[in-house]
Amino acid sequence: MSQKPFHFETEVIHSGYSSEKYEGSLTPPLFQTATFTFDNALQGEKRFAGQEEGFIYSRLGNPTVKMLEDRMAALEKGEAGLAFSSGMAAVSAILVALTKSGDHILCSQGVYGCTFGFLELLKEKYGISHQFSLMDSREEIEKNILPNTACIYIETPINPTMKLVDLALVSKIAREEGIPVIVDNTFSSPYLQQPLLLGCDVVIHSATKYICGHGDVIAGIAVGKKDFMKKVAMTTQKDIGGIMSPFDAWLLLRGLKTLAVRMDRHCENTSKLFGFLKNHPKVETIFYPGDEGHPDFPIMKKQMKQAGGLISFSIKGTKETAQEFMDKLNLIKIAVSLGDSETLIQHPATMTHAVIPAEERVKMGISETLLRLSVGLESWEDLQADLEQALSAI
Ligand code: LCS
């Protein structure tokens, strides 16, 4: 595979793997092993001392996991990837690696509920403070960068409010200040958005979502500069231990092959359902970055290939009306997670973002009637019919 660069659709299938090295096996082999034997004691000594390349023990690296890490690095246009047991293992390892007691983290105006929980834990246990910001102008960003700001942490689109952050703007300012920018790219996948090309430093994924695409793995990935990722691998990851199992890496390599075609279909279905929901009299507000009336539409056009596979909308009425609507759905499943083949709906205020105190949730734009729809790969006509019958029934 020396004749790079290939297009994304080719990289997602081929990068990080050469069948010639593995008996011609077309698909990546599964190295389901905890440890690796050394030819002799000296080889073991050299591997531990970092004087000889090679595998040691699967918490420190595994060939199948490495194939996934290399493929994700290629897709995100980064130097090195690192796989984790969950998205939260990736989020926590990267934040721990970049901060020390007394530091400050500047965050986008909304983060996934457990990321919020981890930020609170850092504050309570280690005095690492954080602050949320809309990051919608140079002044707003500069004002919130403090002398002890150690990193900037961004979700875009933000879960579940679908607000966007201008990554080129933030990374330009952060670079002037020498502060690394971490982007949780879960909602977009590298097919729709490549934050490292916009000047950001580290990309994180809950690989549980679009990277996997089949709803059968919990996993995380981080991609960034080689030296930094090596440091994370040999410190926070090795010693805290949130590593990915070889079988999960194998499943992810398999799921990834269809990322580009899946994302096109997710995006197409979502834009169709947006057209239906936008005009429905029982829908109060709707948040979708592909909406020309969305305040962040110009940012979407600038930094995303398409608008993604998620829509959030609020139902006219109360929390109970929203829950009644969910209960009336037949084809669409009530479940957290996203990026699966199946269309899923969830109620952020009582589910993914329930750990966030109510007043903070409201500031983030998460009301009691807000619902998040992760649009799957089914026929959009069938999905629309299900939404229509449930809306008529409330
Ligand atoms: N980052 C984002 C943006 C997420 O949406 C999630 C999980 C995580 C990180 C954590 O990843 P995990 O450890 O679960 O692999 N988001 C979920 C959601 O919205 N519904 O269920 C889980």
Side-chain angles (χ1 to χ4, degrees):
M1 304 295 295
S2 52
Q3 61 275 51
K4 297 210 175 150
F6 286 117
H7 291 93
F8 188 95
E9 291 78 357
T10 307
E11 296 264 31
V12 80
I13 294 168
H14 291 283
S15 62
Y17 180 64
S18 302
S19 56
E20 310 92 78
K21 289 194 202 153
Y22 300 99
E23 312 279 350
S25 172
L26 175 69
T27 61
L30 169 58
F31 285 83
Q32 188 69 30
T33 183
T35 198
F36 298 83
T37 58
F38 306 126
D39 293 344
N40 50 53
L42 183 61
Q43 187 183 54
E45 181 180 343
K46 282 186 172 169
R47 290 211 182 156
F48 268 87
Q51 292 160 356
E52 183 189 296
E53 287 284 310
F55 293 98
I56 298 174
Y57 180 68
S58 281
R59 180 156 44 76
L60 315 180
N62 171 284
T64 310
V65 176
K66 185 159 187 326
M67 289 169 202
L68 175 71
E69 292 170 340
D70 290 349
R71 186 163 297 177
M72 282 303 299
L75 299 180
E76 283 290 3
K77 305 283 176 247
E79 289 178 8
L82 198 56
F84 293 85
S85 54
S86 67
M88 284 317 300
V91 170
S92 55
I94 297 298
L95 285 176
V96 166
L98 285 172
T99 55
K100 60 179 190 320
S101 176
D103 278 346
H104 169 256
I105 304 170
L106 179 59
C107 303
S108 51
Q109 189 72 35
V111 287
Y112 168 58
C114 294
T115 303
F116 180 89
F118 185 68
L119 290 166
E120 286 289 305
L121 183 148
L122 287 177
K123 185 165 71 182
E124 278 161 31
K125 290 185 79 84
Y126 308 111
I128 299 169
S129 60
H130 61 266
Q131 179 181 342
F132 297 103
S133 159
L134 279 172
M135 301 188 187
D136 55 356
S137 67
R138 175 174 269 273
E139 299 70 58
E140 169 66 17
I141 299 161
E142 282 177 344
K143 181 178 86 188
N144 289 304
I145 294 179
L146 310 180
N148 60 337
T149 302
C151 59
I152 299 181
Y153 186 93
I154 298 171
E155 274 182 28
T156 181
I158 298 175
N159 185 358
T161 55
M162 311 306 294
K163 290 191 185 118
L164 305 190
V165 175
D166 183 337
L167 293 176
L169 175 70
V170 177
S171 65
K172 186 164 182 282
I173 298 166
R175 200 144 283 204
E176 289 162 16
E177 306 272 348
I179 299 169
V181 177
I182 310 160
V183 179
D184 183 331
N185 206 24
T186 301
F187 269 40
S188 301
S189 87
Y191 182 62
L192 298 184
Q193 177 172 276
Q194 292 169 311
L196 301 181
L197 292 182
L198 299 170
C200 303
D201 299 276
V202 183
V203 164
I204 293 176
H205 283 276
S206 166
T208 315
K209 314 291 163 31
Y210 291 113
I211 303 301
C212 171
H214 296 74
D216 45 16
V217 174
I218 297 281
I221 303 273
V223 178
K225 287 260 187 306
K226 203 169 179 177
D227 289 349
F228 175 67
M229 298 320 293
K230 191 164 181 188
K231 183 177 147 208
V232 175
M234 287 303 137
T235 54
T236 43
Q237 189 183 51
K238 172 173 79 67
D239 299 332
I240 298 175
I243 56 118
M244 183 181 287
S245 84
F247 183 52
D248 286 350
W250 187 86
L251 284 170
L252 291 171
L253 282 162
R254 189 164 90 143
L256 253 186
K257 291 185 193 183
T258 54
L259 181 71
V261 282
R262 284 191 280 112
M263 291 313 295
D264 281 340
R265 178 64 172 259
H266 282 298
C267 292
E268 190 190 327
N269 276 359
T270 308
S271 102
K272 292 267 179 18
L273 295 185
F274 165 72
F276 164 73
L277 287 169
K278 177 178 75 159
N279 298 318
H280 200 285
K282 291 192 182 163
V283 171
E284 179 122 61
T285 42
I286 185 153
F287 306 100
Y288 169 59
D291 177 359
E292 288 184 16
H294 188 300
D296 299 333
F297 183 74
I299 303 178
M300 191 284 288
K301 290 303 268 182
K302 195 167 75 152
Q303 71 188 24
M304 294 175 75
K305 189 173 174 180
Q306 297 175 63
L310 288 122
I311 303 182
S312 292
F313 58 98
S314 61
I315 294 282
K316 283 184 186 156
T318 60
K319 171 184 157 196
E320 287 70 29
T321 324
Q323 288 177 325
E324 192 194 342
F325 164 71
M326 293 167 86
D327 291 343
K328 300 277 185 210
L329 292 163
N330 297 320
L331 173 62
I332 298 172
K333 306 291 175 223
I334 304 174
V336 294
S337 205
L338 56 106
D340 294 335
S341 308
E342 296 82 358
T343 298
L344 307 178
I345 195 160
Q346 66 110 1
H347 184 243
T350 58
M351 295 180 183
T352 49
H353 293 67
V355 294
I356 302 176
E359 64 189 69
E360 201 66 54
R361 266 204 317 264
V362 171
K363 272 195 243 161
M364 290 178 176
I366 306 170
S367 72
E368 298 268 296
T369 52
L370 187 74
L371 297 169
R372 188 191 74 191
L373 190 70
S374 168
V375 181
L377 305 177
E378 304 95 332
S379 136
W380 68 268
E381 285 102 333
D382 293 340
L383 295 169
Q384 180 172 312
D386 198 27
L387 290 168
E388 196 158 23
Q389 67 75 22
L391 282 166
S392 318
I394 56 170

